[in-house]
Amino acid sequence: MKNYKTMVLSNQEISPGYYRMRILAPGFGASARPGQFVMFRVQTSLPPLLRRPFGIFRTGFLPPDCEGQPPKEYLELLYKVVGRGTNIMAGLHHGDRVEVLGPLGRGFDPGNPAEEKILVGGGIGLVPLYMLASHLTKTSSVRLLMGGRTREDILAVTEFERLGVETYVSTDDGSLGEEGLVTEVLKRKLEKFPGASVYACGPMPMIEAVQRICAERKVPLQVSLEALMACGLGACLGCVVKGAGHSEEIPRYLCTCKEGPVFRAEQLDWARMGEETGYCEGCKS
Amino acid sequence: MKNYKTMVLSNQEISPGYYRMRILAPGFGASARPGQFVMFRVQTSLPPLLRRPFGIFRTGFLPPDCEGQPPKEYLELLYKVVGRGTNIMAGLHHGDRVEVLGPLGRGFDPGNPAEEKILVGGGIGLVPLYMLASHLTKTSSVRLLMGGRTREDILAVTEFERLGVETYVSTDDGSLGEEGLVTEVLKRKLEKFPGASVYACGPMPMIEAVQRICAERKVPLQVSLEALMACGLGACLGCVVKGAGHSEEIPRYLCTCKEGPVFRAEQLDWARMGEETGYCEGCKS
Amino acid sequence: MSSETTKASQSVTGPRLAVNIAGIEMKNPVMPASGTFGYGEEYAPFLDLENIGAIVTKGLSLKPKAGNPTPRIAETISGMLNAIGLQNVGVDAFIKYKLPFLREVTTPVIVNFFGNTLEEYGEVAKRLSDIPEVAGVELNISCPNVKKGGIVFGTDPKAAAEVVSLVRKNLAKPLIAKLTPNVTDITVIARAVEESGADAICCINTLTGMSIDIKTRRPRLANRTGGLSGPAIRPIAVRMVHQVAQTVKVPVIGVGGIVRPSDAIEFLIAGATAVQVGTANFVDPGIMPAIVEGIEQYCIEEGIDDINELVGSLQV
Amino acid sequence: MSSETTKASQSVTGPRLAVNIAGIEMKNPVMPASGTFGYGEEYAPFLDLENIGAIVTKGLSLKPKAGNPTPRIAETISGMLNAIGLQNVGVDAFIKYKLPFLREVTTPVIVNFFGNTLEEYGEVAKRLSDIPEVAGVELNISCPNVKKGGIVFGTDPKAAAEVVSLVRKNLAKPLIAKLTPNVTDITVIARAVEESGADAICCINTLTGMSIDIKTRRPRLANRTGGLSGPAIRPIAVRMVHQVAQTVKVPVIGVGGIVRPSDAIEFLIAGATAVQVGTANFVDPGIMPAIVEGIEQYCIEEGIDDINELVGSLQV
Ligand SMILES: Cc1cc2nc3c(=O)[nH]c(=O)nc-3n(C[C@H](O)[C@H](O)[C@H](O)COP(=O)(O)OP(=O)(O)OC[C@H]3O[C@@H](n4cnc5c(N)ncnc54)[C@H](O)[C@@H]3O)c2cc1C
Ligand SMILES: Cc1cc2nc3c(=O)[nH]c(=O)nc-3n(C[C@H](O)[C@H](O)[C@H](O)COP(=O)(O)OP(=O)(O)OC[C@H]3O[C@@H](n4cnc5c(N)ncnc54)[C@H](O)[C@@H]3O)c2cc1C
Ligand SMILES: Cc1cc2nc3c(=O)[nH]c(=O)nc-3n(C[C@H](O)[C@H](O)[C@H](O)COP(=O)(O)O)c2cc1C
Ligand SMILES: Cc1cc2nc3c(=O)[nH]c(=O)nc-3n(C[C@H](O)[C@H](O)[C@H](O)COP(=O)(O)O)c2cc1C
Ligand code: FES
Ligand code: FES
């Protein structure tokens, strides 16, 4: 966990509105675990004031510029342009100064190697699943169920396949893969693999549906949540989510940045989850 | 007078910390008079919040990109990097979007063609004098006395010479031209040309010294002043300067943006001038 | 039949943006904030004055007023400080020299004014009372009462009520009271001015601030302190407009940090019937018509036929 | 002789940055603002806690407090709104679980706390009174008094005085009163808390603000309103710090929108003996030591041997 004052290596649009950014980050990979995130400072001047949280898509090494030098370690983000900060990010180029605070939070628990693993990703929610998959495929059989509104929201599928992950795509409009919701695919897969563990990341309505499906079938589930964050360190208490057993009288708040962003489903208060999302009201309608 | 929503054509460092920016501005030249200025919006997003005032160095035409097209009219600024806004400006490139409000204010009165004209410029204060010189040289004999701290503050001298202006340079450290103050040169010239008219622009201490010299010798003087500005249009009343006859009881404030920036020396209250400059306290010490 | 068609085709041209503030009919809810638009004429080269809801003048006093020494303005982070000190030509010179230009425009003219004593407020009101071109007045009560040891009229509910009552008595035109945000509880002042006869409430004026040049160790403003305006203060202004709109029955005009259409819409949702644009006029002299267009666009996208549906539509 | 040499060589290493706030000796005038630095531990990976003037904890209450529903934060232009609702572990859990970490650091620890009733304030003070690791306390009086119909302690000079007197009685440690800026005249409150025994005054807390999502037409905060912090409020904070420093004899701690060394210096010149850095910790967790360095650099450039020379050195 460190504040990397570093620079952009590359930043490319990979699908309309989606970008992939590589950032120089020596030593980052050794400390990062699947499901963790970073707080990204869009530019060294203000605005925007606050950093933006992004999942770690992957880490890796680039060949050095000159022979004899060590390879350059990078951190890769995959992001969707939605507002002010991500709009500025989309305009960054090689060499631009940025700051990355991380790796932060608690990642996924890899679980029992013997079990089947089903990863469920919605849109940009696939980000933390890639690093997870690259770990899990070493020992387990891994399936990825990817959902999106349209084909343009389906990203990096080939990269998952290259890891040996069996991939199922569904889109709301049928423009890629099956037409329909990813949760329908999940139901079918769970019929076939009732002993599987599920790992999910995506929009809240999807996460809630996945939770219901897993709870009904008593399938172990880990979810990665989003929340508005100021510090990313457990200091501001801006990012809390209601924990299991939460009530007005005995409130149980958990920090998404520190106790999450990955939670076991049992840790959370699902009944009250939908009430307070706020930051993505837009995407719920 | 118009708000040009336009773009940068070029932006070059011409001396350490001094830049020359050309901005596309069709039709601008026809309406601009020597001594007028523009309110420049550094970038179309905020910050900085307020526009920055800059003198019009010159206007001109660039050859078109393709044959058959009309030539491109430009407005040229010459500016010194001093703070936040000018720092951002220094980073602008061809094609960057900017906004220019102008031409604004009252420029120089060309005066009687028969008279000798002496222009006195201090540092970046030479900016409005160039366009003035290019008008005056058509009918009068024109001399430019340029002062600066060091050789790096002496700009565009060859351009004045190309207009046929006789140029005298002095620097505080003697690194270019004569060592000493430009006002000493002025005294000598006024001995030689007692019937001359003087036009001055530069830091307030220079302007004040020029005023004393001209007042003693009853030489007509026009000065171009700087002031902190918000609107540039006479609406906010932020940029006022004390007019002749000003007193606590009968205050006579003039708007630098609208009644100036060029004033005849008689319009102003020189006794109280130094008291309230504020924006350039730094350069007075 | 043909007139019917015209009506129908008019109604499909777009949402209704007209609002009524205390009897002043405005084409749309966007007008300048006092002191940022001169006397209207200064901005005429950059926008069609017919396209804004109203024109609000620089604050006037009984006698011409010199204002403060310079420097009078300082840029801050996302805002600016001003200590103009209410320099103005005085009400008589306004009527004589500035009003004739405004006579040519059909857009309603709201005259902002202030006094340093109760009597001055009353006297200015009288002089404006039978000028037909004045559609309404906006009372700036953020001024210190020189007779009462400098306590600011607008920070004391009693003093605020007194001023409003007096002006109400001297003037039969729509009366807008403009409140200062430098108070513990703006709803107390809002209630006081409503009860004393204000037909509408405008909030907010500037927040008192200060900025220091660390090189010279002097205040950036000759007056030491000044009024903070611009985007920096918007969240405070939205809060106060919402509080006031919840408290009073008269319409509220929202002002403070509006630079984009979405900012204006935020105020309308919070409870403002109209908005004023201040500092943003300096940034872009053509901004008001652009804000009107942006509001219209939003209404179309959101299926709002009449802007008044939006007013106070906050979901809580 | 050799010890003399050491002394001399120490004095040439740089300007003296140490300040004393009500008996709390600080290496330098920079400390975190309550609620933006957790309980210290959260930031330990990013800075050496020995290098800041003091550590100020998240506000504590008698019992653990849940805080508000989410969303609790919203970014605004050059600022942020927060409605955390003072979520905290409670004073006892703090002493048991959070203090042991702070025991390892020599930097003085200032505990910020609040209550919803007078009695709660008194009780927390008692529990902290004989904890040796607590160098001093900071009283947050920006909370509504549940017993008195929700009126905020810090907006009423009497209520503010009562709280401070009670805590003063229950606690022999340095006592800092932290004031809310949401008042008509902050000097009245400052005088009241000084007279009731506050050893220092910290200002300002956040300004109440609101932000609305125009798509959903809902407040961005579940609590509707929240506290505005960050660079946007700095001019207001500087003004209030200056006013308070002119009014009281006790030292003043300046807070509000500091993101750069020059901002901290501005507060010192305005009259603050020390400063707190809040929101900026979120932007850059290593910012406080950088601000200390920047202040040192400024002192060297300006020929200031002792930071206390700078305090209140405004030229007017
Ligand atoms: C742990 C975590 C991991 C994330 N990983 C990714 C990722 O890998 N790729 C990706 O594209 N997005 C990811 N997000 C969402 C991403 O943080 C937001 O899309 C981004 O902050 C939007 O910033 P903006 O300035 O463009 O949007 P604006 O709406 O202008 O932002 C305004 C404020 O709201 C916050 N905000 C807006 N949307 C969200 C959101 N969905 N979640 C949290 N804060 C939000 C911003 O951080 C900012 O503080 C993640 C969020 C979290 C919490
Ligand atoms: C009529 C007029 C013509 C000018 N012409 C030129 C020119 O041709 N070339 C040139 O280099 N400079 C010129 N200046 C000065 C130029 O406006 C300032 O250098 C510039 O505004 C500094 O902006 P900044 O953001 O870099 O500095 P900052 O100090 O960060 O600016 C802060 C604020 O102070 C204002 N300000 C700072 N210095 C000055 C100043 N000297 N005069 C007025 N406002 C100031 C800025 O506009 C801004 O509002 C002119 C000023 C005026 C009034
Ligand atoms: C330069 C300037 C002058 C002002 N003069 C007046 C005035 O004369 N009367 C008045 O009621 N308000 C005056 N104001 C306050 C504005 O009308 C407005 O309330 C305030 O600026 C907040 O709006 P904004 O953030 O959009 O600028 C002035 C503001 C500025 C910036
Ligand atoms: C997330 C957050 C939580 C805060 N919690 C507290 C608190 O518990 N007690 C307190 O006195 N002030 C609290 N504050 C106010 C800060 O201490 C500080 O007074 C304010 O943020 C202004 O400083 P800044 O602009 O540097 O952030 C909090 C501020 C923020 C942003
Ligand atoms: S983001 Fe600050 S506590 Fe989680
Ligand atoms: S700059 Fe606004 S009146 Fe001159």
Side-chain angles (χ1 to χ4, degrees):
Chain A
M1 186 157 62
K2 199 178 124 179
N3 185 24
Y4 292 81
K5 303 200 176 194
T6 182
M7 67 172 218
V8 173
L9 290 173
S10 63
N11 188 28
Q12 285 182 309
E13 188 162 15
I14 52 166
S15 180
Y18 290 95
Y19 286 75
R20 201 186 262 254
M21 185 189 287
R22 286 191 178 164
I23 302 157
L24 187 68
F28 190 91
S31 61
R33 300 194 42 229
Q36 287 189 299
F37 71 102
V38 299
M39 291 294 280
F40 183 79
R41 188 168 178 187
V42 171
Q43 46 188 6
T44 48
S45 66
L46 308 171
L49 183 64
L50 298 176
R51 292 184 182 229
R52 268 56 177 155
F54 291 96
I56 300 165
F57 180 64
R58 71 165 151 214
T59 63
F61 292 90
L62 279 186
D65 289 337
C66 316
E67 247 180 87
Q69 285 188 350
K72 287 190 200 160
E73 185 162 4
Y74 65 81
L75 152 71
E76 191 169 319
L77 307 181
L78 208 110
Y79 62 96
K80 185 175 176 179
V81 174
V82 299
R84 187 144 91 135
T86 45
N87 257 302
I88 298 175
M89 284 171 73
L92 294 179
H93 297 105
H94 174 91
D96 285 339
R97 317 287 310 167
V98 293
E99 290 183 24
V100 178
L101 188 65
L104 301 172
R106 290 173 65 162
F108 290 101
D109 175 346
N112 186 335
E115 286 159 1
E116 291 280 337
K117 315 291 189 205
I118 302 181
L119 318 188
V120 187
I124 197 70
L126 98 161
V127 171
L129 302 179
Y130 181 77
M131 211 169 147
L132 176 65
S134 66
H135 278 61
L136 293 180
T137 44
K138 288 175 193 151
T139 52
S140 310
S141 133
V142 181
R143 280 172 180 75
L144 171 71
L145 321 186
M146 255 303 285
R149 288 197 188 163
T150 147
R151 59 181 302 149
E152 290 168 353
D153 301 316
I154 306 296
L155 311 166
V157 169
T158 31
E159 271 144 303
F160 277 92
E161 285 171 345
R162 239 179 265 139
L163 293 173
V165 173
E166 229 173 274
T167 308
Y168 306 83
V169 170
S170 60
T171 51
D172 297 359
D173 64 357
S175 56
L176 197 70
E178 200 177 311
E179 180 176 332
L181 293 175
V182 68
T183 41
E184 294 307 311
V185 188
L186 175 63
K187 283 183 195 159
R188 291 205 310 268
K189 293 295 156 199
L190 285 179
E191 259 162 48
K192 245 174 111 177
F193 309 103
S197 298
V198 178
Y199 305 77
C201 184
M204 188 49 81
M206 181 204 93
I207 299 259
E208 286 177 310
V210 169
Q211 187 273 332
R212 279 190 300 272
I213 293 165
C214 292
E216 278 162 16
R217 291 161 181 75
K218 302 215 166 19
V219 166
L221 167 67
Q222 293 176 44
V223 296
S224 177
L225 298 186
E226 292 189 358
L228 288 165
M229 294 182 176
C231 70
L233 301 170
C236 75
L237 307 180
C239 65
V240 295
V241 64
K242 290 186 179 119
H246 176 90
S247 70
E248 285 292 301
E249 300 71 42
I250 312 166
R252 295 228 174 104
Y253 278 120
L254 302 169
C255 275
T256 304
C257 70
K258 208 171 173 182
E259 286 141 310
V262 178
F263 295 96
R264 283 173 292 105
E266 315 84 78
Q267 287 179 277
L268 301 173
D269 176 7
W270 291 96
R272 318 286 212 83
M273 190 64 76
E275 285 173 20
E276 301 184 3
T277 49
Y279 66 87
C280 65
E281 282 295 330
C283 72
K284 289 181 74 186
S285 60
Chain B
M1 186 157 60
K2 197 178 126 181
N3 184 24
Y4 292 81
K5 304 201 174 191
T6 181
M7 67 173 219
V8 174
L9 290 172
S10 63
N11 188 28
Q12 285 183 309
E13 187 160 16
I14 52 165
S15 180
Y18 291 94
Y19 286 73
R20 201 186 263 254
M21 186 188 286
R22 286 192 178 164
I23 301 157
L24 187 68
F28 190 91
S31 59
R33 300 195 41 230
Q36 287 189 300
F37 71 103
V38 299
M39 291 294 281
F40 183 78
R41 187 166 178 190
V42 171
Q43 46 189 5
T44 47
S45 67
L46 309 171
L49 183 65
L50 299 176
R51 292 185 182 227
R52 268 57 179 155
F54 291 96
I56 300 165
F57 181 64
R58 71 166 151 214
T59 62
F61 292 89
L62 279 186
D65 290 337
C66 316
E67 248 180 87
Q69 286 189 349
K72 289 190 200 158
E73 184 162 6
Y74 66 81
L75 152 71
E76 190 169 319
L77 307 182
L78 209 110
Y79 62 97
K80 185 176 176 178
V81 174
V82 299
R84 188 144 88 135
T86 46
N87 257 301
I88 299 175
M89 285 171 71
L92 294 178
H93 297 105
H94 173 91
D96 285 338
R97 316 288 310 169
V98 294
E99 288 183 25
V100 178
L101 188 66
L104 301 172
R106 291 174 62 162
F108 291 102
D109 175 346
N112 185 336
E115 287 159 1
E116 292 279 339
K117 315 291 187 205
I118 302 181
L119 318 188
V120 186
I124 196 70
L126 97 161
V127 171
L129 302 179
Y130 181 77
M131 210 170 149
L132 175 65
S134 65
H135 278 61
L136 294 180
T137 45
K138 289 175 193 150
T139 52
S140 311
S141 133
V142 181
R143 281 173 179 75
L144 170 70
L145 320 185
M146 253 303 285
R149 290 201 186 159
T150 148
R151 59 182 303 149
E152 289 167 355
D153 301 317
I154 305 297
L155 311 167
V157 169
T158 31
E159 270 146 303
F160 278 91
E161 286 172 344
R162 238 179 266 139
L163 292 174
V165 174
E166 228 174 276
T167 307
Y168 306 83
V169 170
S170 61
T171 52
D172 296 359
D173 64 357
S175 57
L176 196 71
E178 199 177 310
E179 179 175 332
L181 293 176
V182 68
T183 42
E184 293 307 310
V185 188
L186 175 63
K187 282 181 196 161
R188 289 203 313 267
K189 292 294 156 202
L190 286 179
E191 259 163 50
K192 247 175 110 176
F193 308 103
S197 299
V198 178
Y199 304 79
C201 184
M204 189 49 81
M206 182 204 93
I207 299 257
E208 286 177 311
V210 169
Q211 187 273 332
R212 279 190 300 271
I213 293 165
C214 292
E216 279 162 17
R217 291 162 182 75
K218 302 217 170 10
V219 167
L221 167 66
Q222 292 177 44
V223 296
S224 176
L225 298 185
E226 293 190 358
L228 287 165
M229 294 184 176
C231 71
L233 301 171
C236 75
L237 307 181
C239 66
V240 295
V241 63
K242 290 184 178 119
H246 175 90
S247 71
E248 284 293 300
E249 300 71 41
I250 312 165
R252 296 229 175 102
Y253 278 120
L254 301 169
C255 277
T256 305
C257 70
K258 207 170 172 183
E259 284 140 312
V262 177
F263 295 96
R264 284 173 292 105
E266 314 85 76
Q267 288 179 274
L268 302 173
D269 176 8
W270 291 95
R272 319 286 213 81
M273 190 62 79
E275 285 173 21
E276 302 183 2
T277 49
Y279 66 87
C280 67
E281 281 296 332
C283 72
K284 289 181 71 184
S285 60
Chain C
M1 170 86 210
S2 118
S3 94
E4 285 258 78
T5 326
T6 319
K7 250 193 188 159
S9 74
Q10 269 179 348
S11 79
V12 298
T13 57
R16 241 182 74 86
L17 296 184
V19 297
N20 182 312
I21 299 278
I24 309 171
E25 291 285 353
M26 303 184 189
K27 280 178 215 80
N28 62 58
V30 179
M31 64 189 114
S34 175
T36 65
F37 202 65
Y39 301 102
E41 200 168 349
E42 291 84 348
Y43 280 83
F46 305 105
L47 51 83
D48 185 343
L49 294 172
E50 296 292 345
N51 287 342
I52 56 177
I55 294 166
V56 182
T57 68
K58 171 79 196 150
L60 296 171
S61 50
L62 187 56
K63 304 263 166 63
K65 197 164 164 8
N68 289 325
T70 57
R72 290 176 168 188
I73 53 177
E75 197 183 49
T76 67
I77 300 209
S78 297
M80 69 176 277
L81 288 168
N82 90 78
I84 306 301
L86 296 165
Q87 176 181 339
N88 78 94
V89 297
V91 63
D92 295 334
F94 167 77
I95 294 169
K96 200 156 159 199
Y97 301 113
K98 304 291 179 180
L99 207 53
F101 170 82
L102 293 173
R103 203 168 286 150
E104 307 303 311
V105 185
T106 68
T107 302
V109 174
I110 296 173
V111 172
N112 178 293
F113 72 92
F114 65 94
N116 285 318
T117 59
L118 203 54
E119 295 72 44
E120 268 179 48
Y121 273 102
E123 189 53 38
V124 182
K126 270 190 205 144
R127 304 212 183 170
L128 292 171
S129 62
D130 36 47
I131 310 288
E133 295 86 353
V134 176
V137 299
E138 184 180 79
L139 215 60
N140 177 2
I141 56 174
S142 316
C143 304
N145 184 342
V146 292
K147 287 214 182 145
K148 293 223 172 136
I151 184 214
V152 175
F153 283 102
T155 60
D156 177 45
K158 272 203 201 117
E162 256 183 314
V163 176
V164 173
S165 302
L166 179 66
V167 171
R168 176 74 300 165
K169 233 181 5 211
N170 290 356
L171 185 105
K173 293 179 189 289
L175 192 170
I176 304 161
K178 181 163 176 188
L179 307 190
T180 167
N182 300 299
V183 294
T184 306
D185 186 351
I186 198 163
T187 64
V188 173
I189 313 287
R191 215 176 276 121
V193 300
E194 182 185 41
E195 281 166 9
S196 330
D199 301 310
I201 290 175
C202 173
C203 51
I204 58 177
N205 214 310
T206 53
L207 284 135
T208 309
M210 180 172 181
S211 175
I212 298 168
D213 182 329
I214 68 164
K215 278 285 160 204
T216 62
R217 298 198 216 162
R218 290 183 182 218
R220 286 190 193 276
L221 299 176
N223 189 51
R224 286 202 220 181
T225 61
L228 184 65
S229 63
I233 68 168
R234 200 174 69 240
I236 301 167
V238 171
R239 184 260 297 182
M240 289 189 167
V241 164
H242 180 62
Q243 280 183 304
V244 170
Q246 300 278 95
T247 305
V248 299
K249 292 205 185 64
V250 296
V252 177
I253 303 173
V255 50
I258 296 174
V259 295
R260 300 167 300 191
S262 60
D263 304 337
I265 294 162
E266 200 180 348
F267 277 96
L268 297 173
I269 295 171
T273 302
V275 296
Q276 294 183 347
V277 177
T279 304
N281 290 310
F282 305 153
V283 182
D284 179 355
I287 204 159
M288 282 192 288
I291 288 175
V292 173
E293 258 175 57
I295 294 174
E296 185 167 27
Q297 191 57 41
Y298 172 86
C299 287
I300 293 168
E301 279 165 19
E302 300 291 317
I304 295 164
D305 296 326
D306 187 322
I307 191 82
N308 291 288
E309 291 167 30
L310 194 60
V311 173
S313 63
L314 186 73
Q315 308 289 312
V316 285
Chain D
M1 168 90 209
S2 117
S3 92
E4 286 258 77
T5 326
T6 321
K7 251 193 188 159
S9 72
Q10 269 179 347
S11 79
V12 298
T13 56
R16 241 182 74 86
L17 295 184
V19 297
N20 182 311
I21 297 279
I24 309 171
E25 290 284 354
M26 302 184 190
K27 281 177 213 82
N28 62 59
V30 180
M31 64 190 115
S34 176
T36 66
F37 203 64
Y39 300 102
E41 201 169 349
E42 292 84 348
Y43 279 83
F46 305 105
L47 52 83
D48 186 343
L49 294 171
E50 296 292 344
N51 288 344
I52 55 177
I55 294 166
V56 183
T57 68
K58 170 81 196 148
L60 297 171
S61 49
L62 187 57
K63 303 262 166 64
K65 197 164 167 1
N68 288 326
T70 57
R72 290 177 168 188
I73 53 179
E75 198 182 47
T76 66
I77 300 210
S78 297
M80 69 177 276
L81 289 169
N82 90 79
I84 306 300
L86 297 165
Q87 176 181 338
N88 78 96
V89 297
V91 64
D92 295 334
F94 168 76
I95 294 170
K96 199 157 157 198
Y97 301 114
K98 304 290 181 182
L99 206 54
F101 170 83
L102 293 172
R103 203 167 285 149
E104 307 303 311
V105 185
T106 68
T107 301
V109 173
I110 296 172
V111 172
N112 178 293
F113 72 91
F114 66 95
N116 285 319
T117 60
L118 202 55
E119 295 72 43
E120 268 180 47
Y121 273 103
E123 189 52 39
V124 182
K126 270 189 203 146
R127 302 210 186 172
L128 293 170
S129 64
D130 36 47
I131 310 288
E133 293 86 354
V134 176
V137 298
E138 185 180 79
L139 215 61
N140 177 1
I141 56 174
S142 317
C143 305
N145 184 343
V146 290
K147 287 213 183 145
K148 294 221 173 135
I151 183 213
V152 176
F153 283 103
T155 60
D156 177 44
K158 272 203 200 117
E162 257 183 314
V163 175
V164 172
S165 301
L166 178 67
V167 170
R168 176 75 298 168
K169 231 178 8 206
N170 290 354
L171 185 104
K173 293 178 188 291
L175 192 170
I176 303 160
K178 181 164 177 188
L179 307 189
T180 167
N182 300 299
V183 294
T184 306
D185 185 351
I186 199 163
T187 65
V188 174
I189 313 286
R191 215 176 275 122
V193 300
E194 182 185 42
E195 281 167 8
S196 331
D199 301 309
I201 290 174
C202 174
C203 51
I204 59 176
N205 214 312
T206 53
L207 284 136
T208 309
M210 181 171 180
S211 174
I212 298 168
D213 182 330
I214 68 164
K215 278 285 160 203
T216 62
R217 297 198 217 164
R218 291 182 180 220
R220 285 189 193 277
L221 300 176
N223 188 52
R224 287 202 218 180
T225 61
L228 184 65
S229 64
I233 68 168
R234 201 173 69 239
I236 302 168
V238 170
R239 183 261 295 183
M240 290 190 167
V241 164
H242 180 62
Q243 280 183 304
V244 170
Q246 300 277 95
T247 305
V248 299
K249 293 205 184 67
V250 296
V252 177
I253 303 172
V255 51
I258 295 175
V259 295
R260 299 168 300 190
S262 60
D263 304 337
I265 294 162
E266 199 181 348
F267 277 97
L268 297 172
I269 295 171
T273 303
V275 296
Q276 295 183 345
V277 177
T279 304
N281 291 309
F282 305 153
V283 182
D284 179 355
I287 204 160
M288 282 192 288
I291 288 175
V292 174
E293 258 175 56
I295 294 174
E296 185 166 25
Q297 191 57 40
Y298 173 85
C299 288
I300 294 169
E301 280 165 16
E302 299 291 317
I304 295 163
D305 295 326
D306 187 321
I307 190 85
N308 292 288
E309 291 167 30
L310 193 61
V311 173
S313 63
L314 185 74
Q315 308 289 312
V316 286

